[in-house]
Amino acid sequence: MTDDLKAAAEAWLSEDPDPDTRAELRQLLDAGDTAELADRFAGTLEFGTAGLRGAVGAGPNRMNRVVVIRAAAGLAAYLKAKGLTDGPVLIGYDARHKSDVFAQDTAAVIRGAGLDAVLLDRPAPTPVVAFGIRHLHAVAGVVVTASHNPPQDNGYKVYLGDGSQIVPPADAEIAAAIAAVGPLAGVPRGDDWQTAGDDLLNAYLDRIAELVPADAPRDLNVAYTPLHGVGRALVEAAVARAGFAVPQVVASQADPDPDFPTVSFPNPEEPGAIDAALDLARAMNADIAVANDPDADRCAVAVPDALGWRMLRGDELGALLGEFLLAPSQNHSPDGVAACSIVSSSLLGKIAASYGVRYVETLTGFKWIGRVPDLVFGYEEALGYCVDPAAVKDKDGVSTLVRVLQLAAQAKAAGRTLVDLLDDLAVKHGLHATDQLSVRVEDLSLIARAMDRLRATPPTTLGYYTVERIDDLSQGSESLPPTDGLRYTLSDGARVVVRPSGTEPKLKCYLEVVVPVVSDVTTARTQAATALAAVKSDLAAAAGI
């Protein structure tokens, strides 16, 4: 162990206020675990447009009280430098390890800086803060959450007073303010913050209940899982206020548990994550199964079809909600805009055009989608949906769940299913089939190597399709800021987008093919599956993954 590494660890120990991480670091020092210490002190968690996210533990490259106190102090300094001091900072948190402690530290630092702080009095879904910022006229919001990351992680998400997540240049300016924070002992802290509870939660729930008209059908048998997260209480209350029967909940996943004991990865998108919900749905002969991720900003839906139960892809649910919410019957503004990310299906654009609604593509992430002017509906394929942007300018798994129940009950009353509605869209616009090629790596250099390879030797064909155009998204454009990614426009309406994940050590490739429905939808689905498999195989070879 080098003297510099040992000195850095000892210096950290001297100011760490958390006995748990102090003990952990002391044990690593005593054991001489140079590799682990080197990783923890190799750098600092990067504060970007997702805020902070990483494993909980000691050291600047982990999530801990030292990192959080510095982040809060930097945020406070940024707000004061910008003159954003005429309202409180609203702070929420999920039920992960240390979330409540990190939230209290944030409130203490915000008060110590002379700003008002309002701390939620219980763990709650992330969209409650996105709603509460505008409801309480806050100047900023913080949510301590790692969303659907593994159990060892936690994170720190920041919003500004418009209720949207931060984007450049605010992220870089806040990061610079964090870097300028001196010794922890010099960060003032207060203990006189305010709390928010039932009043804020009731305002949020009342808003969701208003989304469903009084005369809408409500006969629906629903299975639900919060995946050990914080969604259950508000979902049950929101569903009841909207007039639906309260769902039956997966008992083994009903209560918050930061260890997520029944799932290997607490993300509804991951294989097996909603198996328990599907088992419950079969047992109770449900019409639909719904799930939230642990901080309840995402919503997953599964339905019965001819082969059993299947989970809808994020793009499928996005198309269903788009068709539902963009129709003239919803009485949205004539200037309204529909939006989705560049990695989501192109079908939403066709649905919007069919109703004369403007359509916008954004970079990946609700930090971009939520701030689209005049937004009436936005989504991204990773199960994130904004169904009431006038109230929540972010993805919201609770209001989305209620909207899904409204749509499913309406279809049931007409003797139809969500699968039938998807078939209608395929006949009308062509079958838009999507898939992902996602590669998780231990060595991040493998992602950079794959991107370099694709740029140096671009493919000319992928599967059955000709590559008609390649956009290097790192160059930016009139409509999109620069980001690391490649977009391939293929023949016959197909497309591929390749990008490194912003929150996980993954290379993610998003595939879409469009197949006309000539004879029947089942045949088109078979053709699309074959076409997607061919594209995926060629893309993997081209990227060397």
Side-chain angles (χ1 to χ4, degrees), residues 72 84 126 327:
L84 302 173
T126 291

Side-chain angles (χ1 to χ4, degrees), residues 207-223:
R207 174 71 190 203
I208 293 174
E210 293 170 3
L211 298 176
V212 185
D215 59 353
R218 286 172 167 82
D219 176 26
L220 208 61
N221 194 18
V222 182

Side-chain angles (χ1 to χ4, degrees), residues 298-363:
R298 289 172 170 83
C299 179
V301 174
V303 293
D305 66 9
L307 300 177
W309 279 82
R310 73 174 179 95
M311 185 169 138
L312 298 182
R313 289 190 170 274
D315 284 315
E316 290 178 316
L317 184 56
L320 288 171
L321 288 169
E323 176 72 13
F324 181 43
L325 297 176
L326 299 181
S329 60
Q330 293 299 315
N331 298 315
H332 48 70
S333 165
D335 298 320
V337 175
C340 67
S341 63
I342 57 172
V343 302
S344 303
S345 173
S346 60
L347 178 54
L348 183 65
K350 296 174 183 176
I351 293 169
S354 73
Y355 290 122
V357 176
R358 288 189 296 138
Y359 169 69
V360 172
E361 282 188 331
T362 74
L363 293 184

